[in-house]
Amino acid sequence: MRSNIVTEAGLPTRLGHWWEGIPFLTSAAVITCGTIYLICLLTGYDSFLEICFSPADVISRFQVYRTYTSIVFHGSLLHVFFNMLALVPLGSELERLMGSVRLLYIIVLLAASNAIFHLFIALLVAHNPFHPFQYLMAECSIGFSGILFSMIVIETSLSGIQSRSVFGLFNVPAKWYVWILLVAFQLLMSNVSLLGHLCGILSGFAYTYGLFNYLIPGTSFYSAIEASSLLSTCVRRPKFIMSTGGNAMGYIPTYSNQNAPSSGLISGNLWRNLSAWMPRRETSVQSTQDSSFPGRGRTLGSERGQMVSSQNSDYNLQARLLDNNGPEHSPGIVPVVSGQQLLDGRNLENSLPVTLESHLHNQASVVSDEEVQKLVSMGFDRTQVEVAVAAADGDLNVAVEILMSQLG
C-alpha cells in the first residue's frame, strides 16, 4: 500500500487543491490583477502615467479614479507575481474571518484612506517651509502592495502572536514586523514607493485603532448585498464566504470597539499610542463571544438555561441523523443525553422524546423568519432551509454550507 497518496499527486493536482482552498474574493483579486497585466503585456500598453496614483494629477485634474486603477495595475511580471503571492495567504485568512463582501468593502475603504494619507503627506512634505520635496507630488505609484501592507498590520494585530519571521531568516517582535518589511523592501528593491507603503501601514493602524468604525456598516448592509439577485451566482459559489452570522457589530474586532474602552487616539492619550506602535489586544467585559471564531459558544455549568442549551444540542444531533440516515439509526451510533438527565438516572430510551418538527419549532426562537426567507430567496427550498438551519444549530454560515453540499 502506498504510504501517502497526497504526496504522490502530480503538480496539476496539487495546484488544483491549492487553488480550490483560496476563498472567492481573494481568488477574484488574483485573477483580476493577473488578467490586467496579461492584457497590458499582449497589447503593449505601458502608459502607466495615465492610471497610476499621482498626487499632482489627483489635485489639479481631480482624477480620483487613480485611487483604484493604481492598485490593480502592475509594472512587471515579478511585481504582480510577488504581490499576488503575498495576497493569497493574507487575503484568504482575512476573508475567512470577515466574509467575501465585507472584505471587499474593507479593501475599497483602505484604498481610499491610502490615497488620503498619500495626498496629505505629499502636500505637507512638498510645501514645508524648511526643505520642500516637490518630487513627491509627481510620484507615480502603482500596485497592490499598499493594500497588502494594510492587511499585514490588520492580520498581525488580530492574530495576537508575539513574533513573526522575516523571509524565514529570523524572528522579530510582531509590533516591529511591518516596519522591518518597509525598510527591507526599500533597501533590497528599486523603484519602490516608500510613501505608498507607508500610507498602507498608516491605514492599517487606523483600522486597528477603530478610527474607521463609523465608516463600516452593520451586518444588515452585507446581508442585503448577499441577498441581492445580482450576486446570486457568486453567493452560490462554494468558495464564497457569507458575511452574516459572525460579529454582530458589523466589523471585525479592533482595539477600540463599542464595548471596549476607546484607544488613546480617541480619548486623548496620544503618548500611549506613540509608545506602543502596535495596538494591544483588549477584551470586552460585556462580550461573550470571540469574533475570531463566529458562532454561538456554550459554557459548561449546572444552570437550567445551560442544560436547555445542552439538550438542544442533543436534538440537533438527532436532526442530523434523521436528515442523513432516515428513520433508522446507523450502526454504532449511541444517542447522547444531557448532563442533567444523567444525574437524574433516567434511561437513554426516554432521554430524547422529541421529533424533528418540534425541534424546528424550537429553532424558530434562534433564527428569525426573515433570515430563513433570505435563504429561501437564494433559491433553496424552505423545508430544506429549515432542516439545514436546525442541523446547523442556528448558524447561518453552517446552514449555507449544508445546503450547498446538498446541491453538489
Side-chain angles (χ1 to χ4, degrees):
M1 181 180 292
R2 290 177 293 181
S3 59
N4 194 336
I5 299 178
V6 176
T7 58
E8 297 179 8
L11 181 60
T13 303
R14 295 183 184 181
L15 289 177
H17 285 295
W18 173 77
W19 181 255
E20 288 299 324
I22 304 176
F24 178 81
L25 180 64
T26 303
S27 58
V30 172
I31 293 176
T32 300
C33 293
T35 303
I36 290 177
Y37 176 76
L38 184 61
I39 293 175
C40 293
L41 185 65
L42 295 177
T43 59
Y45 180 83
D46 58 356
S47 301
F48 297 123
L49 290 176
E50 299 175 355
I51 49 88
C52 69
F53 187 83
S54 173
D57 291 323
V58 173
I59 295 176
S60 62
R61 302 179 182 179
F62 200 66
Q63 297 177 345
V64 293
Y65 66 87
R66 295 174 178 267
T67 299
Y68 299 103
T69 58
S70 61
I71 66 176
V72 295
F73 282 83
H74 293 79
S76 66
L77 179 61
L78 291 179
H79 189 197
V80 66
F81 176 76
F82 284 114
N83 275 359
M84 297 303 101
L85 196 63
L87 173 63
V88 168
L90 285 171
S92 298
E93 183 173 353
L94 291 178
E95 185 172 356
R96 294 188 183 101
L97 182 62
M98 298 181 178
S100 301
V101 175
R102 184 179 300 183
L103 180 60
L104 177 61
Y105 180 86
I106 295 299
I107 291 177
V108 172
L109 181 62
L110 290 175
S113 63
N114 287 357
I116 293 175
F117 280 123
H118 199 138
L119 289 175
F120 177 76
I121 296 176
L123 287 172
L124 186 64
V125 175
H127 298 89
N128 76 87
F130 304 102
H131 194 288
F133 293 91
Q134 295 292 337
Y135 74 92
L136 289 179
M137 294 297 297
E139 185 182 57
C140 185
S141 303
I142 58 173
F144 206 80
S145 54
I147 304 295
L148 290 177
F149 270 86
S150 299
M151 287 184 170
I152 291 174
V153 174
I154 297 173
E155 190 273 334
T156 302
S157 301
L158 295 178
S159 65
I161 60 178
Q162 300 300 319
S163 63
R164 306 211 63 161
S165 175
V166 179
F167 306 129
L169 301 177
F170 55 91
N171 292 333
V172 297
K175 66 181 182 179
W176 295 106
Y177 176 68
V178 68
W179 301 107
I180 292 178
L181 287 182
L182 177 67
V183 175
F185 282 124
Q186 290 300 131
L187 297 178
L188 298 177
M189 299 182 180
S190 59
N191 297 327
V192 176
S193 175
L194 173 64
L195 187 54
H197 293 171
L198 177 61
C199 292
I201 295 176
L202 295 179
S203 295
F205 278 119
Y207 177 87
T208 58
Y209 276 107
L211 299 182
F212 295 156
N213 288 349
Y214 295 103
L215 301 176
I216 300 178
T219 308
S220 59
F221 173 80
Y222 307 111
S223 301
I225 295 178
E226 292 167 346
S228 173
S229 59
L230 298 177
L231 292 181
S232 59
T233 303
C234 298
V235 172
R236 289 177 179 272
R237 301 281 297 179
K239 299 168 63 172
F240 189 91
I241 299 179
M242 302 289 289
S243 301
T244 56
N247 184 17
M249 289 184 297
Y251 52 85
I252 296 305
T254 63
Y255 302 96
S256 174
N257 53 38
Q258 292 176 351
N259 295 327
S262 60
S263 66
L265 283 179
I266 298 178
S267 62
N269 190 356
L270 182 61
W271 170 251
R272 183 177 63 183
N273 291 278
L274 294 177
S275 61
W277 293 97
M278 196 78 173
R280 296 183 178 180
R281 184 174 298 275
E282 297 179 0
T283 303
S284 172
V285 178
Q286 300 177 3
S287 177
T288 59
Q289 170 179 313
D290 185 359
S291 298
S292 299
F293 301 91
R296 298 187 295 111
R298 301 180 183 86
T299 304
L300 295 177
S302 59
E303 297 180 0
R304 180 175 300 272
Q306 295 170 339
M307 288 307 165
V308 172
S309 177
S310 178
Q311 292 176 357
N312 287 338
S313 179
D314 301 336
Y315 301 156
N316 294 334
L317 175 60
Q318 192 180 46
R320 295 187 186 98
L321 295 179
L322 291 174
D323 182 50
N324 296 330
N325 303 321
E328 63 278 358
H329 292 284
S330 298
I333 298 180
V334 180
V336 182
V337 296
S338 63
Q340 183 65 35
Q341 292 170 337
L342 288 175
L343 293 176
D344 293 341
R346 298 178 182 176
N347 295 329
L348 293 176
E349 299 175 356
N350 302 324
S351 61
L352 296 174
V354 64
T355 63
L356 180 59
E357 289 78 7
S358 62
H359 171 68
L360 295 177
H361 177 72
N362 292 336
Q363 284 295 334
S365 60
V366 179
V367 180
S368 64
D369 292 337
E370 181 181 357
E371 294 173 327
V372 172
Q373 186 60 35
K374 289 179 181 178
L375 295 180
V376 174
S377 64
M378 293 167 57
F380 299 110
D381 182 72
R382 185 176 184 86
T383 302
Q384 294 180 351
V385 170
E386 293 177 348
V387 173
V389 169
D393 198 14
D395 193 324
L396 294 183
N397 285 333
V398 178
V400 171
E401 293 179 1
I402 295 175
L403 293 171
M404 296 301 298
S405 63
Q406 293 177 352
L407 291 178

